[in-house]
Amino acid sequence: MKLLFPFLVFIFSLNTVQAQDAATLVSKLKEKLQKVHDYEATGILKTDVAFIKSPAGKIIVYYKNPDKFTLKRQGGISILPKGGMNVNMASMMSFDYLAIDAGEAIVNGVNTRVIKLLPNDEKSELILSTLYIDPVNMLLQKAITTTRSNGTYEMLMSYGKYAAYGLPDKVVFSFNTKDYKIPKGVTLEFNDANKADMEKMKNKKGKVEISYSSYIINKGVPDSIFK
Amino acid sequence: MTEEIIQVRNVSKFFKNVKAVDDLSFSVQKGDVYGFLGQNGAGKSTMIRMLLTLVKPTNGSIKIFGNELSAYRIDILKRVGAIIEKPDVYKYLSAYQNLALFAKLSGINPTRSLLMDELKRVGLTGREHDKVKTFSQGMKQRLGIAIALVHEPDIIILDEPTNGLDPQGIADMRNLILHLRHERKKTVLVSSHLLTEIEQVATRILIIDKGKKLVEGEAATLFDPAKTIIAIKTEDNEDTLLKMRESQWGQYVQPGYENSLKLKMHKKLLPSLHQWLVENGVEIISIIPRHSLEDLFLQVTSGKNYVETI
Amino acid sequence: MWKLFNIEVYKIFRRPRTYIAFAAITALIVIIQLGLYVDGDSYVDFLMSGLKDSFDFQGKILNGYLVCYILLQLLLVHVPLLIALVSADMISGEANMGTLRLLITKPVSKTSFMLGKFLAASFYTLLLLIWIAFLALAVSTWLFGTGDLIIQKNAYVVQMSQDDVFWRYAGAFAFAFLAMLAVTALGFFLSVFSENSIGPIVATISIIIFFTIMSTMSIPLFQHIQPYLFTSHMVNWKEFFDEKLDASDNVIKGSIQNVEQLYNSAIVLGVYIVVFVSGAIIIFKRKDILS
C-alpha cells in the first residue's frame, strides 16, 4: 500500500510525459503544415470501386487555410466518397482534441508514431482520428478517421518533391461502400445481373487515388473558387 | 395464215380442290379483237391472270409472241398492256404521277409531253395534277387505259373493262377497242359480261364454262344469219340424218354430231326445215337456232347442249 | 432494281401515313427533353439514389449524352411499332389498294420487285433512325451540353469520358439500324401473306411483344431459346456503353467490354434479316395474285 501511491504517481507522470510527446508531435506537424496557406494542385484522380467503372481524369485541387478544400474535375464527372474528400490533413488537426500515444507502426516502410486524436467536443462529427506520423521527417504517412455520418475512411500518403511542405505526391483514400442498389426500371436491361458477380462486389472497400503532378503553393487562391 | 400471237395449250388451274380452268386451249391471232366470255366463276379472270403471270398454271403451256411465257416473262410483258377489272391506282398521287410511275415500270423513259399527250388522249386534260381520290369511276378507267397504252404495247388485255361504267363510258370503251384494232393495229383480248358490246367489236369469240371451252370461233361465223347454226335433236337422230342427206337439206348438214344434228344455213329457212321434219314424221325434241351471241351464250352455258368448235 | 427502289421510296414518302412515325418520334423526344430540361435534376437524383448515400458526384451528370441514352432506352422499345406501320404494309398495302395486280403485270422480275420494296422500307428505317439520332443526340447536346456519360447497368455503374462517347453513339445507332432492319424484314415477310395491312401490322407488333417477353423472363424453358430470339439481341446496342478494365482495374479508354456479344448479336440479326427477306421473296414468287 505504501508503495502503491508512488507507483501510481510514477505511471501517471510517465503518461503525462508521453501525452505531452503525442500532443507536441501533433503540434509540430500542424506547425509544418500551416506554413502552406494555400495551394493549387494538378493531378489525376482515379476512383476504384468494385461496382463502378470510372476512367482516371485530370483534376485541380484547391486548398486555403484553415479548412477550405475543393476538387474540380476538368470537364468531366468526379465520383467521390460522400463527405470524405473534403477532409485534408490540416483540418484533421484543427479541432479541440486529446492526443493519445498509441504506439508505433511501420507504414510504407517508414517507422511512424501512432497518435489517436479524441475530440473534446462530444457532438463533434469526428469521432476518432488515428494519425501515423513520421517523426523524423515530420510527415503524416497515414490517417484513419471515423465520422458519425460517413463511417470510417483511411488516407495513405506518399511523398516526393513536396515533402518539405508536407504535401503528398499521392493520396489513396479508402472507404467502405454500401452494396450497389439501383432503382427498378432504370436500366431496362433484360438479363439479371450475374449473382456470383454481384456477390464478389459486395462488402468491398472503395478507393480514390489522387496522384499529384504539381503544386502552386502560397500564391493566393480566391475564395470564390470554393463556392 | 394469220400469226397466232397468243397460244394457250391444255392449260389447267387448280385452287386446292377446285378446278378453275380445265384443260383449256385457244389461240388469239394478230389483229384479233378476241372476246372472252363466260358466266361468273367460269374461269375467265383466272385465265387472264395466267396470261399476265399473276397466277401460275397448274398444267399446260402459254406462248405469247411465240415464246413460252414462263421463260420470257419480262420481254413479253414489255409488249403487253392490261386493265384487270377496275383499274386501281395510287389515290394519293395525281393522274400524272400515276402515269409516270407506271410508264417507268413498263420499261420506258417517259417525257412530260408524252405523258400529257396520253392523258389528253383519254380525256383527262385539265385533271392531270388532281389526286386520283377525287376521280369518278369513269375517270379512273380512263387513267387505267392510259397506263395500259402508254408504252405502246402490241397486245392489250382487258378484263371486264366496262365494270362500273355508265352507258357513255361503255360506248367509249367500245370505240376505244375499235380504234385500237383499226387505227393502232393492236391485238385486243377482252373479257366481258356485256355480250352486246362484245358482239359489236369482237372478231373471234371464246366461251367457257366451269373452266372448259364451250365455243370458239369467228364472230362472223357465229352471227352471220346465212351461216346460222341450227342444232336439231330428235328421237332418232340417225334416221333423221339419213332422211336429210337424201333431201334438199343434205347440203346444209355439218359433219360430226354428238347429241344434236347441226345444219349451217340461212336462218330464214328455219320454218321450211321445221315443216319438212314434221311432214317426214321426225319426232322433234328440239330445234335451236343461234340468233345472236346472247342466245348462243345462254344456250351453251345454261344447258345440256354443248356445241362443238366450228 | 434501283429504278424500282426509287419508285418505292417516292411512293413511301408521298404517303401521309409515313410521316406519322416521324411526328410521333419528334413529339416523344421533344416532350422528354422538355421534361428533363425543366426537372432533370430530380430525375438524376432518382437515377443516382442508390449511390448518393455513399458517393458525391461532381460535374454535369445531366448532359446531352445522358439525355440521349435515356431517350434511346425508351424509344428503341417503341420504334419497332412505328417501323411495322410501313414495312408490314409493303405488299399487303398494294394488295389492299388493288395496285399489286397492276404492278405484277409490268415487266419487272418479282425478285427485283421484292428487293426494291425491301430496300425502300430499309431506307425509310434508316431515315427514321437518322432523325432519332439528330433529335436525341445533336439536339440534346445542344440543349444540355456534353460531359462524361454515367450509366447504370444491373450490376455496376459505367462512366465514360466525354471524348470517349461520340463514337459509341455512332456504333450504337449503326447497331440499332441493324436491329430495326430485322423488324423491317419481319413486317415485310408477314406482309406477303395478307391482302390488308392491319393483319401483318398487328402480327408484327404481336410477335415483337411476345418475343420480348420471352427474352425478358428468367424461366429456364425460355432461357434455352433466348439466344435465338432476335428480340434478345436488339437491345445489345447497349454493349457499346461498357468498358473493359485492365489488370489493375483501370478503365481502358476506347474499349468495349463484350465485343464478342456485339458480333454475335449482329450475326443473329443478319441471319434473321436474310431469312425473312428470302422467305418473303420465295413465297411471293410462288403466290397467285388474286387481289
Side-chain angles (χ1 to χ4, degrees):
Chain A
M1 199 56 195
K2 272 188 187 174
L3 288 173
L4 184 61
F5 181 68
F7 180 72
L8 289 172
V9 167
F10 174 69
I11 297 294
F12 180 72
S13 61
L14 262 182
N15 275 340
T16 309
V17 166
Q18 284 193 317
Q20 282 178 340
D21 282 342
T24 308
L25 187 61
V26 173
S27 290
K28 281 184 179 167
L29 178 64
K30 236 172 120 173
E31 206 181 297
K32 177 180 178 180
L33 294 175
Q34 280 169 350
K35 285 182 187 160
V36 174
H37 305 298
D38 56 66
Y39 64 74
E40 177 186 321
T42 50
I44 304 279
L45 180 139
K46 187 187 144 194
T47 303
D48 186 359
V49 175
F51 50 82
I52 297 179
K53 289 186 186 180
S54 178
K58 285 194 183 144
I59 52 162
I60 300 181
V61 176
Y62 298 91
Y63 165 74
K64 190 169 183 177
N65 202 292
D67 59 1
K68 289 198 177 72
F69 182 90
T70 188
L71 185 154
K72 288 184 196 294
R73 185 156 172 149
Q74 290 175 304
I77 297 168
S78 302
I79 304 176
L80 304 168
K82 200 168 183 65
M85 286 302 294
N86 282 339
V87 172
N88 59 85
M89 290 182 290
S91 66
M92 274 188 263
M93 294 166 265
S94 63
F95 56 92
D96 268 342
Y97 55 80
L98 174 65
I100 299 173
D101 199 320
E104 292 175 354
I106 297 178
V107 176
N108 290 341
V110 175
N111 288 325
T112 63
R113 291 272 303 278
V114 182
I115 312 289
K116 289 194 188 290
L117 301 184
L118 287 163
N120 290 331
D121 181 1
E122 286 170 2
K123 292 178 190 157
S124 167
E125 169 63 22
L126 218 105
I127 297 173
L128 174 68
S129 200
T130 306
L131 308 180
Y132 295 71
I133 303 173
D134 172 0
V136 172
N137 297 302
M138 207 47 67
L139 291 170
L140 182 62
Q141 292 289 340
K142 181 166 137 176
I144 299 174
T145 306
T146 303
T147 62
R148 278 183 210 281
S149 322
N150 296 309
T152 302
Y153 49 85
E154 179 183 301
M155 286 169 66
L156 189 66
M157 272 62 72
S158 317
Y159 294 90
K161 55 185 182 189
Y162 296 96
Y165 293 94
L167 295 173
D169 279 358
K170 185 170 169 180
V171 178
V172 178
F173 196 90
S174 303
F175 50 95
N176 292 320
T177 57
K178 287 189 184 152
D179 295 335
Y180 177 52
K181 275 195 190 94
I182 181 162
K184 290 266 180 231
V186 167
T187 68
L188 298 177
E189 282 191 344
F190 287 165
N191 303 320
D192 286 334
N194 185 305
K195 288 234 163 25
D197 287 344
M198 293 289 276
E199 282 303 314
K200 266 197 275 179
M201 289 191 275
K202 279 185 180 169
N203 301 319
K204 287 267 171 76
K205 276 189 174 310
K207 278 196 300 187
V208 171
E209 284 180 23
I210 303 178
S211 302
Y212 291 98
S213 51
S214 68
Y215 287 88
I216 300 171
I217 303 168
N218 291 338
K219 298 290 184 205
V221 172
D223 285 342
S224 55
I225 296 254
F226 301 97
K227 285 183 184 133
Chain B
M1 187 166 161
T2 320
E3 178 192 345
E4 285 185 344
I5 208 168
I6 298 177
Q7 292 169 307
V8 174
R9 295 286 175 264
N10 307 109
V11 165
S12 298
K13 176 65 185 176
F14 287 87
F15 291 110
K16 293 190 183 162
N17 295 326
V18 175
K19 212 175 209 181
V21 174
D22 188 357
D23 196 33
L24 189 59
S25 299
F26 64 91
S27 25
V28 178
Q29 290 164 6
K30 191 172 176 183
D32 267 347
V33 175
Y34 197 87
F36 195 7
L37 303 168
Q39 292 179 333
N40 281 335
K44 304 189 304 298
S45 285
T46 303
M47 186 63 240
I48 284 181
R49 282 175 187 250
M50 283 195 275
L51 290 173
L52 293 168
T53 71
L54 293 169
V55 168
K56 272 202 173 78
T58 309
N59 296 312
S61 146
I62 299 174
K63 282 187 180 177
I64 301 181
F65 306 118
N67 291 317
E68 200 62 48
L69 179 59
S70 54
Y72 292 88
R73 177 178 170 266
I74 292 177
D75 291 332
I76 289 168
L77 288 178
K78 280 181 182 166
R79 300 167 65 186
V80 175
I83 298 176
I84 307 156
E85 295 167 30
K86 60 180 182 69
D88 285 309
V89 293
Y90 298 102
K91 295 184 177 60
Y92 53 90
L93 298 178
S94 68
Y96 180 89
Q97 287 162 343
N98 269 288
L99 185 60
L101 188 153
F102 284 107
K104 286 175 192 163
L105 284 173
S106 300
I108 64 168
N109 234 345
T111 59
R112 184 182 158 77
S113 62
L114 170 71
L115 297 172
M116 295 299 276
D117 283 345
E118 279 299 326
L119 290 169
K120 185 179 173 184
R121 214 188 283 193
V122 296
L124 286 174
T125 307
R127 299 299 303 270
E128 301 93 340
H129 302 294
D130 293 342
K131 296 263 186 291
V132 169
K133 65 183 176 194
T134 64
F135 281 17
S136 66
Q137 187 58 39
M139 290 167 74
K140 287 179 194 169
Q141 196 77 6
R142 280 185 265 152
L143 178 57
I145 291 163
I147 289 170
L149 298 178
V150 71
H151 58 294
E152 286 296 334
D154 295 314
I155 298 174
I156 295 106
I157 297 176
L158 306 169
D159 184 19
E160 308 279 1
T162 53
N163 270 3
L165 294 184
D166 58 21
Q168 182 60 53
I170 293 169
D172 289 342
M173 182 60 69
R174 182 196 331 130
N175 290 333
L176 170 71
I177 293 172
L178 291 170
H179 166 80
L180 287 172
R181 178 175 182 240
H182 294 294
E183 260 70 59
R184 291 169 78 167
K185 310 295 181 202
K186 307 292 184 192
T187 304
V188 181
L189 188 152
V190 53
S191 82
S192 182
H193 285 136
L194 293 180
L195 305 177
T196 48
E197 293 302 315
I198 296 294
E199 204 168 15
Q200 293 180 67
V201 299
T203 56
R204 297 181 80 237
I205 304 275
L206 170 69
I207 301 176
I208 67 172
D209 188 40
K210 294 187 176 68
K212 280 185 182 329
K213 175 164 49 177
L214 294 185
V215 173
E216 184 187 15
E218 303 271 337
T221 308
L222 293 171
F223 309 143
D224 182 359
K227 293 179 183 168
T228 302
I229 302 294
I230 313 289
I232 304 169
K233 209 170 180 183
T234 67
E235 284 293 341
D236 188 346
N237 284 338
E238 279 206 35
D239 182 59
T240 307
L241 182 62
L242 279 169
K243 284 179 183 170
M244 275 187 173
R245 284 199 195 281
E246 288 164 8
S247 71
Q248 75 273 32
W249 300 105
Q251 63 183 303
Y252 302 117
V253 172
Q254 298 300 303
Y257 76 95
E258 285 183 359
N259 297 320
S260 316
L261 302 173
K262 278 190 287 292
L263 281 74
K264 191 194 265 186
M265 62 192 202
H266 202 293
K267 66 178 182 181
K268 70 182 179 188
L269 297 173
L270 187 56
S272 305
L273 173 63
H274 187 249
Q275 189 179 352
W276 182 87
L277 286 168
V278 168
E279 285 169 359
N280 281 272
V282 173
E283 291 185 29
I284 304 166
I285 297 174
S286 64
I287 302 180
I288 303 172
R290 286 178 293 185
H291 300 295
S292 68
L293 181 55
E294 184 176 343
D295 292 333
L296 176 65
F297 182 84
L298 289 172
Q299 284 161 22
V300 299
T301 58
S302 65
K304 298 101 188 168
N305 295 322
Y306 284 86
V307 182
E308 290 144 14
T309 308
I310 293 157
Chain C
M1 191 180 73
W2 295 112
K3 175 175 69 179
L4 286 162
F5 167 74
N6 287 332
I7 287 171
E8 290 302 322
V9 169
Y10 175 79
K11 276 159 47 183
I12 287 175
F13 285 95
R14 296 296 302 199
R15 212 165 169 196
R17 172 197 296 203
T18 302
Y19 298 95
I20 292 175
F22 287 89
I25 279 172
T26 306
L28 265 169
I29 291 179
V30 164
I31 284 171
I32 293 170
Q33 282 172 333
L34 194 65
L36 288 172
Y37 193 77
V38 168
D39 214 6
D41 290 333
S42 312
Y43 185 68
V44 168
D45 283 343
F46 163 72
L47 284 182
M48 298 295 168
S49 55
L51 295 166
K52 284 212 160 165
D53 285 344
S54 301
F55 298 95
D56 274 333
F57 292 88
Q58 289 182 11
K60 202 161 63 163
I61 298 179
L62 184 69
N63 58 64
Y65 287 143
L66 179 65
V67 171
C68 184
Y69 191 87
I70 293 167
L71 286 166
L72 285 187
Q73 279 206 133
L74 294 169
L75 282 178
L76 290 179
V77 174
H78 300 107
V79 164
L81 314 181
L82 297 172
I83 286 170
L85 279 182
V86 168
S87 70
D89 182 62
M90 289 307 280
I91 306 299
S92 55
E94 300 278 8
N96 192 33
M97 280 190 284
T99 47
L100 185 62
R101 60 178 186 269
L102 193 50
L103 289 169
I104 298 303
T105 62
K106 294 302 168 189
V108 291
S109 84
K110 289 183 180 178
T111 303
S112 300
F113 172 75
M114 290 293 277
L115 281 174
K117 277 198 162 286
F118 177 69
L119 284 175
S122 305
F123 182 68
Y124 160 80
T125 303
L126 177 65
L127 287 185
L128 204 58
L129 270 170
I130 289 173
W131 183 240
I132 292 173
F134 169 72
L135 286 177
L137 187 58
V139 172
S140 292
T141 51
W142 174 70
L143 271 177
F144 295 90
T146 59
D148 289 359
L149 175 61
I150 289 189
I151 57 158
Q152 297 186 62
K153 297 197 165 290
N154 280 338
Y156 50 85
V157 177
V158 180
Q159 178 184 355
M160 288 150 278
S161 298
Q162 68 178 47
D163 58 354
D164 193 30
V165 174
F166 184 79
W167 71 269
R168 294 175 188 276
Y169 271 116
F173 276 110
F175 188 91
F177 174 61
L178 193 64
M180 294 305 113
L181 216 55
V183 175
T184 305
L186 171 64
F188 186 70
F189 174 76
L190 294 174
S191 181
V192 169
F193 295 97
S194 177
E195 288 179 8
N196 80 78
S197 305
I198 302 291
I201 290 172
V202 170
T204 305
I205 293 170
S206 302
I207 288 172
I208 290 171
I209 292 172
F210 179 64
F211 278 14
T212 302
I213 291 170
M214 286 176 69
S215 296
T216 328
M217 291 184 78
S218 305
I219 295 175
L221 175 67
F222 290 171
Q223 280 170 341
H224 288 305
I225 55 172
Q226 277 166 3
Y228 305 102
L229 299 175
F230 68 93
T231 42
S232 304
H233 297 276
M234 278 168 58
V235 290
N236 283 342
W237 59 271
K238 291 188 180 186
E239 294 297 336
F240 277 96
F241 298 97
D242 198 355
E243 301 161 305
K244 272 192 172 139
L245 299 175
D246 63 18
S248 310
D249 284 344
N250 294 318
V251 162
I252 304 172
K253 221 168 165 184
S255 67
I256 296 173
Q257 174 69 41
N258 281 318
V259 181
E260 303 76 28
Q261 177 72 67
L262 268 176
Y263 283 139
N264 288 341
S265 293
I267 289 169
V268 169
L269 291 171
V271 166
Y272 266 97
I273 292 167
V274 168
V275 165
F276 282 142
V277 176
S278 308
I281 292 173
I282 290 168
I283 290 166
F284 185 75
K285 285 179 80 163
R286 290 188 188 161
K287 202 174 137 84
D288 291 327
I289 310 295
L290 300 172
S291 60

